[in-house]
Amino acid sequence: MSSSPLPEAVFAMDPVHLSGLFPAPLMSRLRSLVRIDPGFVARDLADPTLAGTEALITGWGCPPLDEAALAAMPRLRTVLHAAGSVRHLVSDTFWRRGLTISSAAQANALPVAEYTLGAILLAGKDAFTWSRRYQEEHRYPTAADSAALGNHGRRVGVIGASRVGRRVLDLLRPFDLRVALYDPYVTDAAALGAVPLPLDDLLRGSDIITLHAPDTPETHRMLDRDRLALIPDGGVLINTARGNLIDHDALTDELASGRISAVLDVTVPEPLPAGHPLYGLPNVFLTPHIAGSLGNELERLGRCVVEELERFTAGLPLAHQVRPVDLATSA
Ligand SMILES: NC(=O)c1ccc[n+]([C@@H]2O[C@H](COP(=O)([O-])OP(=O)(O)OC[C@H]3O[C@@H](n4cnc5c(N)ncnc54)[C@H](O)[C@@H]3O)[C@@H](O)[C@H]2O)c1
C-alpha cells in the first residue's frame, strides 16, 4: 500500500534567522512532516519554482504575500509564521483565497514579559538611576535618597491584557505590588490579578506604567501630551510595545524635564538617529528592540511552528490561527 506523499513546504524569511529558529533536532522533526529543502530560503515569492508549495514557513524578513506571490503558489494552503505579527504579510487577496495563517506571537510574548518583569522590579528600586549615580558618585543612597524606593506596595499600571500583557500580569502575581489594568476589551481584570481602571485613572494612580497594547488606529498615540502629564512625578513609563503608542515629542519633553523616567525598548523612529535627545538623558534606559525573542529564545518560535505543522498535516485546526477580524485589535 502506498502512502500519500508529504506536503511540500518552503521557508521564506531573512535566511539569517533559519538556524536559530530551527536547530538541528527541530529541523529533523519538521522534515519528518513535510518535503522541504532545509538549505533553501525563498526571497522572491513570485519565483516559478515555488509552484508546488502547500505550506509556507515564514519569519522576519519575509516579503508580503501579494498577488504575484499568491499567483505563483496555486497549491498554497497554509502559512506558518515563526515570528509575531502577520499584519504585513496578508492582504485582501490572501483572505479571499481562504488560506490559513498562524503566528508564533504567543511564544514571542514570553521574553517580552520577562524583560518587562525585570524592568518593573529594577525600576521599583530606581536601579537604573542608582547604577549611574554609583559610578559617578561612588556612594550608597542615604536614608533620605532611598525613602521613596522599593517594591513593597508599588503601584503598577498595565495597559493592554494582550498576549504579552497577560504574561506580565501572571509574572507579577508573586510580588507585593498593587496592579491595575486598562484594557477596553477585558471584562475579567480581577481574574487576571488586576484592578480595572480607565486609562486616565491608571496613569494618575501608577508609579510604574507598562505598555502592552498593539499598534492599531485606536492605540496610535494613546499616550499623548495630556495623558503623559497625568503620570505622577517620579513615575516610570516602560514601553516594550510599539513607539507609535506614544507622542514621542511630548515624551521627549517630559523626559528632558526630568519629571518622569522611562525604559524604552521601542521608539519612533527605530533606531533613533545619532544625536537624538533620548540617547543622552540620564532618566532614560534605552534598549534596541531586544525584548522579543532573540538568540536562544528563537527556538521557541520554531517549535511553535513545528507544532502547528503537526496539526496541519494531521488535518487538525491550527492552535494559533489569525483571522482577519483579529487584526483590528491585535498586533
Ligand atoms: N519589543 C519587542 O520586541 C516586542 C515583541 C513582541 C511584541 N511586541 C509588542 O507588544 C505588544 C503586545 O503584543 P501582543 O502580541 O501581546 O498583542 P496582542 O495582539 O495579543 O494584543 C491584542 C490585545 O490587546 C488589547 N488591546 C487592544 N486594543 C487595546 C487598547 N486600545 N487599549 C488597551 N488594550 C488593547 C486587547 O486585549 C487585545 O485582545 C504589541 O504592541 C507588539 O507589537 C514587542
Side-chain angles (χ1 to χ4, degrees), residues 122-123 125-137 149 234 236 260-262 282-285:
L122 288 174
K125 292 224 172 226
D126 206 5
F128 301 110
T129 306
W130 279 100
S131 166
R132 181 183 48 78
R133 287 188 68 175
Y134 192 24
Q135 294 192 38
E136 288 167 3
E137 301 172 20
L149 304 185
V236 182
I260 61 170
S261 306
N283 51 338
V284 180
F285 185 79

Side-chain angles (χ1 to χ4, degrees), residues 20 94 104 278 283 324 327:
F94 181 90
L278 287 178
N283 51 338
L327 292 179

Side-chain angles (χ1 to χ4, degrees), residues 220-287:
H220 189 77
R221 295 192 174 196
M222 69 193 297
L223 298 193
D224 58 12
R225 193 171 288 276
D226 290 345
R227 288 225 164 97
L228 289 171
L230 298 176
I231 299 174
D233 290 357
V236 182
L237 178 61
I238 300 171
N239 191 7
T240 58
R242 283 292 178 267
N244 277 336
L245 273 55
I246 310 179
D247 173 344
H248 265 63
D249 289 340
L251 177 66
T252 305
D253 290 348
E254 281 284 6
L255 291 167
S257 79
R259 198 184 71 75
I260 61 170
S261 306
V263 176
L264 303 175
D265 189 52
V266 289
T267 52
V268 177
E270 264 186 56
L272 292 172
H276 192 283
L278 287 178
Y279 280 127
L281 293 175
N283 51 338
V284 180
F285 185 79
L286 270 179
T287 52

Side-chain angles (χ1 to χ4, degrees), residues 303-325:
R303 194 175 315 122
C304 179
V305 160
V306 171
E307 287 166 5
E308 286 290 62
L309 203 51
E310 282 166 351
R311 292 182 197 100
F312 171 72
T313 53
L316 297 170
L318 300 172
H320 304 288
Q321 184 169 347
V322 182
R323 294 179 175 81
V325 65

Side-chain angles (χ1 to χ4, degrees), residues 77-97:
R77 286 190 283 149
T78 197
V79 176
L80 307 177
H81 191 49
S85 179
V86 299
R87 194 179 282 282
H88 58 293
L89 291 179
V90 293
S91 59
D92 288 347
T93 323
F94 181 90
W95 299 122
R96 271 200 303 275
R97 272 265 304 260

